[in-house]
Amino acid sequence: DAGITQSPRYKITETGRQVTLMCHQTWSHSYMFWYRQDLGHGLRLIYYSAAADITDKGEVPDGYVVSRSKTENFPLTLESATRSQTSVYFCASSEIQSDEQFFGPGTRLTVL
Amino acid sequence: ILNVEQSPQSLHVQEGDSTNFTCSFPSSNFYALHWYRWETAKSPEALFVMTLNGDEKKKGRISATLNTKEGYSYLYIKGSQPEDSATYLCAFMTTDSWGKLQFGAGTQVVVTP
């Protein structure tokens, strides 16, 4: 099915472990984004990508790594998970930088 | 970090009443203003993307206006229905933020029958 998907939908991990959240879109959108949902802040941008092999930091990039070897995939890795990274993570994509963004269903991550 | 402020944080509306709420943003280097509707346990969905001063957009009973010179946008809901209950997010982009949206914390709307 066309759209934007995220996996896993739910993840529980322990402090210090590496975790990778996956994002896949079928529209061939150039732009992809990772956000985290924080109480009182709404959505905060972690990283974004303008095209394959082009990524840039957002507002809260520390502790996260991204890659984009293919247009349709944009994985987000927590190198050494901390409790403060417990959040709901949303991936989004858009055709051009100013266009509306289409959001995935979210991944709820709990770091114990 | 640019501040995007939304007010009020939450509001309760009786079914059939109309309501509106505000998004404030820095007026310099304006590029685009987005509105998203976010229902509980779902993903945000785009309502409007606004780029021009004085722009007005409408989708059904929901409309939005934009004033880039004074840095605000209003979202209006006419004849609120229970299905309008959601958090409404605005997000702001500048000419030098290169694709980065800065989101407000949202206005939570609860429509009671």
Side-chain angles (χ1 to χ4, degrees):
Chain A
D1 289 349
I4 182 165
T5 57
Q6 294 183 235
S7 62
R9 295 292 313 280
Y10 303 91
K11 177 73 177 179
I12 299 174
T13 190
E14 294 178 338
T15 301
R17 290 193 181 264
Q18 183 180 80
V19 177
T20 296
L21 310 183
M22 304 301 293
C23 179
H24 175 78
Q25 53 104 355
T26 60
W27 295 303
S28 299
H29 283 170
S30 295
Y31 286 81
M32 295 188 76
F33 309 86
W34 274 107
Y35 295 94
R36 55 178 287 169
Q37 177 186 359
D38 292 319
L39 196 64
H41 291 275
L43 294 171
R44 292 201 289 179
L45 182 66
I46 305 170
Y47 268 97
Y48 77 104
S49 169
D53 297 322
I54 301 175
T55 61
D56 199 2
K57 296 177 181 178
E59 184 182 350
V60 287
D62 293 344
Y64 302 95
V65 174
V66 293
S67 62
R68 195 164 175 211
S69 57
K70 292 184 178 181
T71 300
E72 60 266 30
N73 296 325
F74 191 37
L76 175 75
T77 298
L78 288 67
E79 294 184 294
S80 178
T82 64
R83 288 182 182 167
S84 64
Q85 292 178 310
T86 292
S87 187
V88 180
Y89 290 85
F90 287 96
C91 178
S93 72
S94 67
E95 193 166 356
I96 58 174
Q97 66 185 74
S98 61
D99 207 0
E100 63 180 294
Q101 294 184 11
F102 295 87
F103 284 80
T107 294
R108 183 175 293 276
L109 175 69
T110 302
V111 183
L112 301 176
Chain B
I1 305 298
L2 298 170
N3 286 325
V4 182
E5 295 184 358
Q6 293 188 246
S7 63
Q9 263 190 320
S10 65
L11 59 92
H12 287 74
V13 187
Q14 283 292 118
E15 182 176 358
D17 287 350
S18 296
T19 189
N20 65 84
F21 36 94
T22 309
C23 173
S24 300
F25 51 88
S27 56
S28 58
N29 302 323
F30 176 85
Y31 189 63
L33 191 284
H34 293 210
W35 280 102
Y36 291 84
R37 183 172 178 274
W38 193 1
E39 290 181 72
T40 302
K42 293 189 177 180
S43 307
E45 291 184 348
L47 286 171
F48 307 114
V49 176
M50 309 176 81
T51 56
L52 299 175
N53 185 43
D55 210 0
E56 292 188 26
K57 300 261 185 179
K58 187 175 180 182
K59 185 181 285 189
R61 293 178 292 96
I62 301 177
S63 60
T65 60
L66 178 66
N67 184 321
T68 61
K69 294 185 178 179
E70 296 185 37
Y72 65 84
S73 176
Y74 292 134
L75 192 83
Y76 300 88
I77 304 176
K78 184 178 178 182
S80 303
Q81 299 297 311
E83 57 264 31
D84 295 327
S85 296
T87 296
Y88 292 82
L89 298 173
C90 73
F92 168 69
M93 187 184 295
T94 65
T95 52
D96 54 5
S97 63
W98 219 79
K100 299 178 186 179
L101 277 177
Q102 177 87 23
F103 279 84
T107 292
Q108 184 182 28
V109 175
V110 177
V111 182
T112 51

